């Protein structure tokens, strides 16, 4: 359905530090900067892009918005959460936990305040 998710940042190097660490924890690769100055992460067929806002105004986090990222195992979720906190993220909601549907989930805010979640797929 989606080709990509684009979020804003006020400090691309700080964002790179955070997102490189969290995507590496999920088995992904570091981001690459394109010719337009956007930081791009490609993982499992999805694309997350981070940029400074083109209108020149400060980047702000979406109120009520959450970006969900898939993880293969609970260990990946735990590693993602730990890497995020160690690289400027803020733990939010509950600690990483199993849900009644069998999914294992964790939540963070990135250094710019964007709300992220990583979860395993629920058991069937």
């Amino acid at each position: 359905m989606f080709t990509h998710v684009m979020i804003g940042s006020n400090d691309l190097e700080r964002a790179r530090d955070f997102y490189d660490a969290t995507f590496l924890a999920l088995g992904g690769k570091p981001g690459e900067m394109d010719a337009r100055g956007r930081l791009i992460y490609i993982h499992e067929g999805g694309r997350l892009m981070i940029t400074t806002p083109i209108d020149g105004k400060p980047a702000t986090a979406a109120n009520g918005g959450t970006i969900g990222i898939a993880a293969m195992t609970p260990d990946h979720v735990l590693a993602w959460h730990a890497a995020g906190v160690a690289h400027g993220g803020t733990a939010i909601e509950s600690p990483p936990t199993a849900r009644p549907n069998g999914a294992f989930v964790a939540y963070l805010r990135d250094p710019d305040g964007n709300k992220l979640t990583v979860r395993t797929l629920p058991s069937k």
Side-chain angles (χ1 to χ4, degrees), residues 81-104:
H81 193 265
V85 170
H87 289 86
T90 304
I92 58 170
E93 314 252 336
S94 62
T97 188
R99 293 282 172 92
N101 67 356
F104 194 83

Side-chain angles (χ1 to χ4, degrees), residues 53-74:
I54 61 173
D55 65 4
K57 295 179 182 175
T60 58
N63 185 22
T66 303
I67 298 168
I69 301 167
M72 296 298 294
T73 68

Side-chain angles (χ1 to χ4, degrees), residues 7-88:
I7 59 175
S9 174
N10 294 304
D11 184 336
L12 287 178
E13 286 307 311
R14 181 184 66 187
R16 175 179 276 202
D17 184 51
F18 175 84
Y19 283 100
D20 278 2
T22 58
F23 274 100
L24 287 170
L26 293 174
K29 296 179 182 176
E32 294 187 15
M33 196 71 71
D34 73 2
R36 294 175 63 189
R38 300 174 300 189
L39 188 55
I40 300 173
Y41 293 86
I42 300 171
H43 184 65
E44 300 289 326
R47 182 178 291 223
L48 176 66
M49 301 171 70
I50 304 158
T51 188
T52 55
I54 61 173
D55 65 4
K57 295 179 182 175
T60 58
N63 185 22
T66 303
I67 298 168
I69 301 167
M72 296 298 294
T73 68
D75 286 340
H76 283 115
V77 173
L78 292 169
W80 173 86
H81 193 265
V85 170
H87 289 86

